[in-house]
Amino acid sequence: MGTPSLSEDSNNCSSSVSKFILLGFPYTWGIQILLFSIFSGTYILTLIGNLCIICAVRWDPQLQTPMYILLASFSFLEIWFITSTTKIISFSGCFLQFYFFFSLGTTETLFLSVMAFDRHLAICRPLHYPTVMTIQRCIRMGTCCWVCGFLYFPLPIYLISQLPFCCLNKIDHFICDPGPLIQLLCVAAPAIEIICAIYNSVLIFSTLIFITSSYILVIRVVLRVPSAEGQQKTFSTCSSHLAAVSLFYGSLMVVYVIPTAGSAAGKQKYVTLFYPVLTPLFNPLIYSLRNNEMKKALRKLFTTVRFSQRPGRNL
């Protein structure tokens, strides 16, 4: 089975589009079954991994700190992020998915920034940290990330939805992404493309510069620590977050910042897999394997679950 043509039946189409078909990864039936199994397994593992982090933070008193509360909120965000895809979708549903997908992505960049700020305060201002980063302030900052994330993208989404889509309704992607959507327009829309590029660039570079600046200050402080053991311990608290930032922002910049003119439109979707699918899968592994407190909490959680499921426990 070959890749379906995007121009198929173009002579018989109507002047408007009522639904979109997300082509996804159009291979042979056998390969599609294999991909479905892989993606289903990835989705289940992502849910389990992030739910374990949320439960560990919720039930372990030692993890009731701003750092881990932000991590639990981040895991909750990742669960929603990987859930926001489908195959055949209505016109309004496509733009609703567009809104939720990009709003969740925006919220993730803001959470990564807040987590970098938290690490900066904890390492560079340890005496002020307990009074500045209180639990209440941490919750307010997390709430602000959600609100700002969902208020950032409505304008470009509304502008694209008001443009005429004619004939073609097959999107060579697995999500309603602005690039493939703009290619289906009946008219050229350079202004919309510029607006989307500005929105993406401002969001990505502003948060990335903030995160980078925070860690430059952290590194300066860490290098002044006299003992190598102290330096290693301090760096270990930041390495998990830096790994998550590198994975997320690396794929974001390849898809939305680096020019893709002249490249096949379908290639973008393979890179896009990294930030909504692989990043939510890897984050629980990154944070649990690189953090001793999280590993202890997870072991305690698994021990409690196994003990409560023993036969005769409730007798």
Side-chain angles (χ1 to χ4, degrees), residues 271-284:
V271 183
T272 308
L273 275 174
F274 278 91
Y275 64 90
V277 177
L278 297 183
T279 301
L281 173 65
F282 290 149
N283 277 344

Side-chain angles (χ1 to χ4, degrees), residues 128 195 283:
H128 297 88
I195 290 174
N283 277 344

Side-chain angles (χ1 to χ4, degrees), residues 4 31 36 84 99 140 149 236 257 285 297 314:
I31 295 179
F36 175 78
S84 59
Y99 170 70
R140 286 198 295 268
S236 67
V257 176
L285 296 175
N314 296 324

